[in-house]
Every structure is written in structure tokens, then in C-alpha cells.
Amino acid sequence: QVRLVESGGGLVQAGGSLRLSCAASGSILSINVMGWYRQAPGKQRERVARITSGGITDYAESVNGRFTISRDNAKNTVYLQMISLKPEDTALYYCNADIQDIMLRYQNYWGQGTQVTVSS
């Protein structure tokens, strides 16, 4: 059984910083793309950032220059460093990963989400 567990969310003032972590565990053979998505109340889920196993990244225009995604392949963990946070960054942040398990099956997984709230 493969799981993604996020941590690091919380309440922060505008202009502040947070670092999210997401650890994948279970019967993992390899992890391809890992990413972060977010969903604000009343809005659709949107992709924030993603990173390939080789370290290639891309970002949503709204966070480019403020958020940095990184990963530790040895720990099966992806991070999202967020700076200069704005109230509009308030959302439930989800981790996502394309994982191949030890049975050689590919599947896309989601974490349970971690809340980020930015006060003005």
C-alpha cells in the first residue's frame, strides 16, 4: 500500500513563509513526477508546482518566483518552500505523485491535504 503524507501547513501572516513536506511510503519501486496542488473554497483544484525525478520543475504563474519545489529521491519526499505568502495563497494543499510499485504497476496518488491559511 502506497501512501502520501503531507505536513507543514499552518497559519501565517501575509509576507511570511512556510515549508510543506510530503513523504511517500509503502511498496515503492520508483517515483516519477511529484507535485503540489491546491484548492481554495469554492474553486477548482489547481496545480501549483511539479518536479520530475531528474529535477526539472515548473510552476503556476501565480506562484513563480515565490514558491520553490524540491525533492529528496532517497527519502521519497517532495518539498514546497513558500515565501512572500499572500492571502490568496490560502487553500488546502495536496501532494501528488506518479508511483511505480514493486508489482510494476503505475498509479497516481494523492495525499490527504494540509491547510495553509494566510492572514492579511
Side-chain angles (χ1 to χ4, degrees):
Q1 185 74 13
V2 174
R3 293 180 63 205
L4 298 180
V5 179
E6 301 104 331
S7 61
L11 173 64
V12 64
Q13 288 188 330
S17 302
L18 281 175
R19 187 191 193 211
L20 306 183
S21 299
C22 171
S25 62
S27 303
I28 297 170
L29 182 63
S30 66
I31 304 178
N32 189 7
V33 178
M34 303 186 82
W36 289 95
Y37 290 70
R38 67 186 182 186
Q39 187 167 18
K43 294 188 176 181
Q44 289 189 330
R45 190 175 297 189
E46 63 173 351
R47 188 172 70 228
V48 174
R50 59 183 175 180
I51 182 169
T52 68
S53 57
I56 297 172
T57 60
D58 73 77
Y59 298 90
E61 186 175 344
S62 59
V63 307
N64 200 19
R66 298 188 299 120
F67 291 9
T68 302
I69 189 170
S70 60
R71 63 191 282 175
D72 184 332
N73 291 329
K75 295 182 179 180
N76 290 337
T77 299
V78 63
Y79 306 96
L80 187 68
Q81 178 68 50
M82 306 182 291
I83 66 171
S84 301
L85 282 161
K86 305 175 182 180
E88 50 263 44
D89 294 318
T90 295
L92 191 59
Y93 283 70
Y94 295 92
C95 176
N96 179 271
D98 291 325
I99 296 175
Q100 183 183 30
D101 64 22
I102 60 173
M103 300 299 290
L104 305 184
R105 298 171 299 197
Y106 286 95
Q107 189 169 337
N108 185 260
Y109 292 88
W110 290 93
Q112 81 287 352
T114 184
Q115 180 67 38
V116 172
T117 303
V118 184
S119 63
S120 58

